[in-house]
């Protein structure tokens, strides 16, 4: 059996089964209601069965289908509880696990990419994978110099599979929409397609990871594994232990949740300022909590994995984001509107009421208005409901706003990170991180401004 179904007809058939299966289960549910079972009970069972099939198909296919599932899983906080509940466990599984490829295939890739004597590079190599992701899986080993390492091996044919899946899912986006109310699927899939070639290039990933590892080498809060070796389709990095964030979400203490949330926010905003790169795949499978933070062994650090998708921001996050956020908090409706127009968030053909734009933005940035904010699924759902309800003024105004391409990935990463913070239920001092790391959020010193004006 092929480790990664590559034939377009095979993968298309599996993906096509998703909407057909949903329709079939809807008919089954209707039949059960005819014989007297309550709509609520049938509805819950229907959602559970759909969730199970969704995970099974996306997990088996790996590639773009699984990537799509992982992207959805960080947004589950925004779904109504009656919809999110049955899907949560299935979607969260996609953040940590997928069926492994056969050992013989792993060995064949290693032999092809590292040479016939690849075994000599390792003192130990575990054939059973430690983790699986959308385009590759990770094996634990010991490098010839004694370092524990993670060996990431790319699935053969991953490139074709990714593009095939995402093209197919794009065709089904209208049918998949009801699975996740309030989310526009097509732009999400289009944006994932734009990142495919970068993620397949382990050379680019190694560069991005090493840049972070160098910058955060002595950091008390964040740990990034060093790159040990890289070749086409194989990436070897230092191994880090720790508790996956998905486990913190399901079973962590409130102290762990708060610490993980604070460090996640810190990494999101400090990374671009310190490395010129934005880690653009913030799902829980890519983060660990490690003991040994600034307060000792009982404190925690954040381990960060998988730098396959990054946004290159040489000057850090755009100052426009910080400036517009600050002016919105200060209630400067006209100034915010002018800035949004200048940056292309409002098309030239549109004319909007600046006060209405301010009213649209203020609830979204509530976490930055206070010293500490507790992120919850309820808050996320209320925001999603407000902007996704066709009857609401926020929905009508949101339809008229535009997201410039240069901000697309930043927007998705920020939304995804907020989604993870809501899954954690973390109390986070977000404003503190914005003041420290976000350009433009803290106004320039008036003295500097006067001197600049005189010059």
């Amino acid at each position: 059996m092929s480790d990664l179904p590559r034939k377009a007809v095979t993968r298309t058939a599996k993906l096509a089964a998703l909407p057909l299966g949903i329709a079939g289960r809807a008919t089954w549910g209707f039949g059960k209601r005819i014989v007297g079972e309550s709509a609520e009970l049938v509805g819950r069972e229907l959602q559970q069965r759909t969730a199970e099939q969704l995970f099974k198909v996306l997990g088996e296919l790996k590639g773009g289908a699984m990537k799509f599932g992982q992207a959805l899983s960080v947004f589950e906080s925004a779904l109504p509880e009656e919809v999110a509940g049955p899907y949560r466990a299935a979607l969260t599984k996609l953040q940590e696990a997928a069926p492994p490829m056969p050992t013989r295939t792993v060995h064949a890739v290693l032999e092809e990419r590292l040479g016939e004597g690849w075994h000599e590079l390792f003192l130990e190599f575990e054939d059973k994978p430690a983790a699986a992701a959308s385009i590759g899986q990770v094996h634990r080993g010991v490098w010839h110099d004694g370092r524990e390492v993670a060996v990431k091996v790319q699935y053969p044919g991953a490139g074709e599979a990714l593009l095939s899946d995402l093209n197919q899912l794009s065709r089904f986006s209208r049918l998949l929409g009801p699975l996740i109310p309030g989310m526009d699927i097509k732009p999400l899939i289009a944006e994932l397609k734009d990142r495919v070639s970068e993620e397949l290039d382990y050379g680019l990933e190694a560069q991005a990871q090493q840049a972070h590892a160098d910058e955060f080498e002595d950091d008390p809060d964040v740990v990034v594994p060093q790159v040990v070796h890289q070749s086409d389709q194989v990436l070897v990095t230092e191994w880090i232990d720790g508790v996956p964030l998905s486990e913190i979400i399901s079973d962590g203490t409130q102290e762990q949740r708060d610490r993980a949330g604070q460090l996640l926010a810190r990494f999101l905003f400090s990374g671009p300022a310190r490395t010129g790169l934005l880690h653009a795949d913030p799902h829980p499978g890519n983060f660990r909590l490690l003991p040994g933070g600034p307060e000792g062994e009982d404190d925690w650090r954040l381990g960060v994995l998988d730098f396959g998708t990054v946004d290159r921001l040489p000057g850090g996050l755009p100052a426009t984001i910080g400036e517009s956020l600050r002016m919105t908090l200060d209630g400067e409706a006209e100034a915010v509107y002018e800035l949004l127009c200048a940056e292309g968030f409002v098309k030239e053909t549109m004319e909007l009421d600046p006060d209405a734009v301010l009213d649209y933005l203020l609830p979204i940035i509530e976490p930055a208005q206070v010293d500490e904010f507790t992120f919850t699924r309820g808050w996320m759902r209320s925001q999603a409901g407000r902007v996704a309800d066709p009857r609401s003024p926020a929905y009508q105004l949101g339809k008229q706003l535009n997201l410039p391409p240069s901000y697309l990935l930043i927007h998705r990463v920020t939304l995804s990170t907020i989604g993870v913070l809501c899954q954690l239920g973390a109390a986070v001092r977000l404003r503190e991180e914005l003041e420290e790391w976000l350009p433009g959020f803290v106004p320039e010193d008036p003295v500097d401004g006067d001197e600049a004006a005189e010059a």
Side-chain angles (χ1 to χ4, degrees), residues 417-434:
T417 304
I418 289 171
V420 177
L421 294 178
C422 291
Q423 289 178 330
L424 284 164
V428 177
R429 301 180 304 282
L430 184 66
R431 192 181 182 98
E432 182 181 300
E433 305 300 341
L434 297 175

Side-chain angles (χ1 to χ4, degrees), residues 196-218:
V196 166
S197 58
E198 280 192 20
E199 191 161 355
L200 290 164
D201 188 334
Y202 280 2
L204 285 176
E205 180 172 350
Q207 290 171 19
Q209 180 157 339
Q210 193 56 49
H212 281 85
D214 291 343
E215 176 59 39
F216 286 92
E217 187 171 8
D218 299 315

Side-chain angles (χ1 to χ4, degrees), residues 161-177:
L162 271 165
L163 287 169
S164 169
D165 287 355
L166 292 170
N167 285 330
Q168 194 62 31
L169 281 164
S170 186
R171 295 189 192 104
F172 292 143
S173 59
R174 187 174 55 82
L175 290 167
L176 292 170

Side-chain angles (χ1 to χ4, degrees), residues 115-161:
E116 288 185 13
W118 68 268
H119 270 294
E120 295 170 16
L121 295 171
F122 300 92
L123 297 178
E124 295 175 25
F125 182 85
E126 295 182 10
D127 286 333
K128 183 181 178 182
S134 51
I135 65 163
Q137 63 189 36
V138 178
H139 293 258
R140 191 168 186 167
V142 179
W143 196 240
H144 57 77
D145 62 5
R147 281 183 288 177
E148 281 196 83
V149 291
V151 186
K152 184 149 81 167
V153 183
Q154 193 172 118
Y155 302 127
E160 304 100 274

Side-chain angles (χ1 to χ4, degrees), residues 17 24 47-48 64 82 88 108 115 131 182 191 213 235 258 280 316 325 354 362 369 373 402:
Q47 287 167 349
Q48 183 61 46
E82 65 272 15
R88 188 170 295 138
E191 202 261 311
L235 178 61
D258 293 345
L325 192 53
L362 274 171
Q369 293 175 294
F373 184 82
N402 178 55

Side-chain angles (χ1 to χ4, degrees), residues 378-433:
W379 176 79
M380 186 81 164
R381 282 197 296 270
S382 70
Q383 293 304 318
R386 187 177 68 94
V387 298
D389 183 351
R391 297 164 298 182
S392 77
Y395 174 84
Q396 298 302 328
L397 192 142
K399 278 202 326 185
Q400 299 175 78
L401 292 174
N402 178 55
L403 186 62
S406 59
Y407 287 90
L408 186 62
L409 194 56
I410 296 170
H411 179 68
R412 181 169 77 80
V413 171
T414 305
L415 277 184
S416 299
T417 304
I418 289 171
V420 177
L421 294 178
C422 291
Q423 289 178 330
L424 284 164
V428 177
R429 301 180 304 282
L430 184 66
R431 192 181 182 98
E432 182 181 300
E433 305 300 341

Side-chain angles (χ1 to χ4, degrees), residues 19 30 73 86 104 118 138 153 202 212 233 247-248 296 303 398:
F30 179 66
S73 68
R104 66 181 183 278
W118 68 268
V138 178
V153 183
Y202 280 2
H212 281 85
Q233 294 186 324
E247 288 183 22
I248 303 297

Side-chain angles (χ1 to χ4, degrees), residues 18 53 132 157 276 278 303 317 321 361 375:
L18 275 176
Q53 190 200 7
L278 173 68
L317 289 165
I321 296 174
L361 294 173
F375 290 85

